[in-house]
Amino acid sequence: MANPTNRKEAQLSVDRIHVFRQELGRLISEGVLELTAEQQSRVESYLAVSAADLAARFDIDVSDSQKRISLGMRVLSTLGGMAFCAALVLFFYRIWGLLPTPAQVVILIGAPILALIGAEYVSHKERTPYYTALLVLVALGAFGLNLIVTGQLFNMASSQYFFLATGIFALTLAYRYRLRIPLALALVSLAVFFAATAIVSGGGNWAFFLERPETLIPAGLALAAVPSVVRHERTPDFPGVYRLLGLFLVFSAMLAMMHLGQLSYIPLARHTVEALYRALGFLGTGAAIWLGIRHGLVAVVNLASGSFAVYLFDRLITWWWDWMPRYLIFLIIGLIALLLMAVFRKLRTTTRGQTI
Amino acid sequence: MNGKGLVPAIAIILVSNAWLLTGAGFNRRGGPIQSIRLTERELALETEESDNSGVILRLVWRIPPRENIPTRPFGGVAFDSEKLKELGFDCSLSDENSPHFRLPPPREVFLALEYEGSAWQSWLKRLDESRAGNATPVSNRPVDAGEGVNPERARREGSRLFAMDASSSFEHLRRKYPDAGEYLIVRGLVRAGLHGNPDPITGKIVNPRWEGYVLGLLPPDVNVPLPYARELGRLPRATGGPPRYSVELHYGKTHEPWIGSVSVGTQ
């Protein structure tokens, strides 16, 4: 058995031990395999020691009930982090009018630093990242509050650089503590910064970056391409976050552009732009499905398949709504859904056994 | 515990704050580039909910009434196509159904706000004429003026700050409106769009033309620090009547405001 280097690999190893133990028991009980009592004891002993060793080194779940509890703890740490952020923001707004400006600034700068020190301390005390994740979320919220309120204190107009600062900060924490939620927040912030900067460079105001949705397409493509360029050996969960968030931005922006050609930078007629994005949408989701199957990226296949279905239904409703009886439209959509289910079932069979 | 891992994250916090504080310091270095004293009519006290102890003043402004341009949402039309071109908007296509038409996003510009000047006098005159039945009613609804649709209340309590002009250059506006006591130049957002009147038979927009309006000021609010916050925070919610305070507002190099002084008492 290869020696796992991180929690994810260790969890996979323990899961394999669990399955192997079940299959071995079945083979023996059905008489397919015969082992002496001494051999059975040696195998069982080896598996038990291996599982215990992995559990001790990586604090992973060795049973289904432990897995369920871990999932609950992950949800709780996220909710707890968000609740602490809300408490921090509300408490600050409750007291800030009573404080002179220098004290306000010191508190605003000190809060994220304190939360960071807490996260660092806890991360060395626990092997599972639940409390660390909670404190990292608090640090992120405190830093956001810091930048927003400092701007308000000095009556500064908001700018897109807020997203650059919070994006880099969240990215640093995500890699430091190997956490996916800060990574997702960082990627969204950096994509917003990119889109807002694009609109500012054209003379527009940053806050209206959604009035040019296609600026999110290059940002999303760049994010989705990161795992191809940067290796993530110590953070095997991260490539999936990059790909999914990047492609989600791309497919969402394309859906908007299929209807809002008047918001495009492309110097073509509005209807041509919309037709172009319709073609790109279907080609893009098709290409993503193909790449996902080829590289065993199940989540990418699922996201692209879902987007493909949304594009298709959107088109059918747009084309047929005005001239076809409504019941017929929905009947056809239902039949197409059945057809797509058959296709996706085939895809699912193709990707069976792939774990990414 | 090895604290070295924290260094990059703490560095980001410190650099971001240094950037903000340096910017704020640069804005105020060398003193204000323009100052104006406004009353509660133009700087409304934001009554926050009990969970917020901060005190904020909101700049209240309005658009001067114009004879030839009808009222639009968001407070009325401020700029025609010539002015919009000057502000950098592409107004080359005047048909929204044209395949190459693109809706421009709002742009950040400088706005000249006239305080208690000709626009205010003209507004009062139109109000009198309208009451005497000699003119059409004052159609240009005041923007954020706080007096709702009651013109008499606007006369007594409404803002006398009018958005008169816009430019992409502060210096250009200051040369055009050199009196810093009467004209406050601030940053703001302008939105441009195609408008026209619908044909009564076909319903289609005929003779569409580019019109622009002020979306808001940047920043729209002014934070009140201690000790002024304590004085203004004691005032009850505004119930009408003469203004209860005046505020000296400074603007610095980067056009961000701050409060120079506050005088509480009937103005």
Side-chain angles (χ1 to χ4, degrees), chain A residues 93-97 99 120-121 146 152-153 155-156 172 176 203-205 211-212 262 264 266 268-270, chain B residues 1-2 5 12 17 20 51-54 96 99-100 102-103 106-108 189 191 219 222-223 226 256-257:
Chain A
Y93 277 111
R94 182 96 185 177
I95 62 160
W96 78 316
L99 303 170
E120 184 71 10
Y121 177 76
N146 169 206
Q152 286 177 352
L153 289 178
N155 305 308
M156 300 166 114
T172 308
R176 170 77 186 149
N205 180 264
E211 293 192 10
R212 290 289 180 272
Q262 75 272 26
S264 176
I266 301 171
L268 294 172
R270 181 198 311 177
Chain B
M1 188 174 87
N2 176 12
I12 293 167
N17 279 281
L20 279 174
D51 268 344
N52 191 341
S53 59
E96 209 165 22
H100 291 276
R102 293 289 185 273
L103 189 69
R107 295 178 80 94
E108 208 172 305
L189 280 177
R191 157 89 73 194
V222 183
N223 172 54
L226 288 175
E256 285 145 8

Side-chain angles (χ1 to χ4, degrees), chain A:
Chain A
M1 188 185 300
N3 197 21
T5 55
N6 54 52
R7 283 191 84 228
K8 188 179 180 184
E9 287 178 12
Q11 186 66 60
L12 283 172
S13 294
V14 164
D15 291 345
R16 278 198 294 268
I17 288 172
H18 191 57
V19 171
F20 177 76
R21 193 181 270 151
Q22 286 176 332
E23 287 300 306
L24 183 67
R26 193 174 62 82
L27 290 174
I28 291 171
S29 68
E30 290 178 5
V32 179
L33 185 67
E34 285 185 13
L35 292 177
T36 63
E38 194 259 337
Q39 283 173 323
Q40 277 192 46
S41 168
R42 271 171 52 199
V43 170
E44 184 52 45
S45 165
Y46 174 77
L47 295 177
V49 168
S50 298
D53 176 54
L54 289 171
R57 279 167 57 203
F58 295 99
D59 196 12
I60 49 176
D61 305 318
V62 292
S63 67
D64 287 341
S65 61
Q66 277 186 327
K67 276 188 179 176
R68 283 193 289 273
I69 292 170
S70 292
L71 177 65
M73 286 180 73
R74 275 201 296 276
V75 172
L76 279 177
S77 77
T78 306
L79 290 176
M82 289 160 65
F84 277 121
C85 284
L88 185 73
V89 170
L90 292 173
F91 177 69
F92 184 79
Y93 277 111
R94 182 96 185 177
I95 62 160
W96 78 316
L98 312 172
L99 303 170
T101 306
Q104 291 172 333
V105 171
V106 168
I107 290 173
L108 287 168
I109 297 174
I113 293 177
L114 276 179
L116 269 184
I117 292 169
E120 184 71 10
Y121 177 76
V122 170
S123 75
H124 284 85
K125 293 286 174 193
E126 65 165 0
R127 280 169 300 170
T128 46
Y130 305 119
Y131 293 101
T132 310
L134 187 150
L135 284 165
V136 164
L137 275 183
V138 173
L140 282 171
F143 185 54
L145 177 78
N146 169 206
L147 298 185
I148 291 170
V149 177
T150 305
Q152 286 177 352
L153 289 178
F154 297 102
N155 305 308
M156 300 166 114
S158 59
S159 84
Q160 74 272 25
Y161 291 104
F162 167 81
F163 292 97
L164 179 65
T166 49
I168 295 174
F169 185 66
L171 200 65
T172 308
L173 298 189
Y175 277 91
R176 170 77 186 149
Y177 300 108
R178 302 178 196 178
L179 297 169
R180 282 180 293 182
I181 289 178
L183 179 69
L185 292 174
L187 302 187
V188 170
S189 293
L190 293 174
V192 169
F193 170 72
F194 178 84
T197 303
I199 207 164
V200 168
S201 66
N205 180 264
W206 77 269
F208 297 86
F209 68 92
L210 284 179
E211 293 192 10
R212 290 289 180 272
E214 63 191 356
T215 51
L216 290 169
I217 294 175
L221 287 175
L223 293 179
V226 166
S228 313
V229 184
V230 182
R231 298 184 71 181
H232 286 87
E233 285 171 353
R234 294 179 63 220
T235 48
D237 293 333
F238 281 16
V241 178
Y242 276 101
R243 286 190 201 101
L244 283 186
L245 249 172
L247 290 178
F248 178 76
L249 289 174
V250 172
F251 294 149
S252 306
M254 280 186 168
L255 181 63
M257 292 310 298
M258 288 175 191
H259 295 275
L260 301 167
Q262 75 272 26
L263 301 183
S264 176
Y265 282 114
I266 301 171
L268 294 172
R270 181 198 311 177
H271 299 300
T272 312
V273 170
E274 290 170 0
L276 180 69
Y277 274 107
R278 284 197 287 275
L280 283 175
F282 285 111
L283 285 174
T285 47
I289 292 170
W290 177 73
L291 282 171
I293 292 170
R294 192 172 166 181
H295 296 286
L297 308 171
V298 177
V300 169
V301 175
N302 289 339
L303 177 70
S305 307
S307 303
F308 182 88
V310 169
Y311 294 167
L312 186 63
F313 293 146
D314 173 66
R315 274 303 87 209
L316 296 182
I317 288 172
T318 309
W319 286 330
W320 295 342
W321 193 256
D322 287 336
W323 64 273
M324 197 182 268
R326 307 284 188 266
Y327 74 89
L328 202 54
I329 293 177
F330 288 110
L331 179 68
I332 293 172
I333 287 176
L335 290 173
I336 290 172
L338 284 177
L339 182 68
L340 286 176
M341 280 165 66
V343 173
F344 292 150
R345 190 172 176 178
K346 181 84 176 167
L347 289 177
R348 183 169 166 269
T349 312
T350 313
T351 56
R352 184 171 292 161
Q354 294 165 339
T355 53
I356 299 171

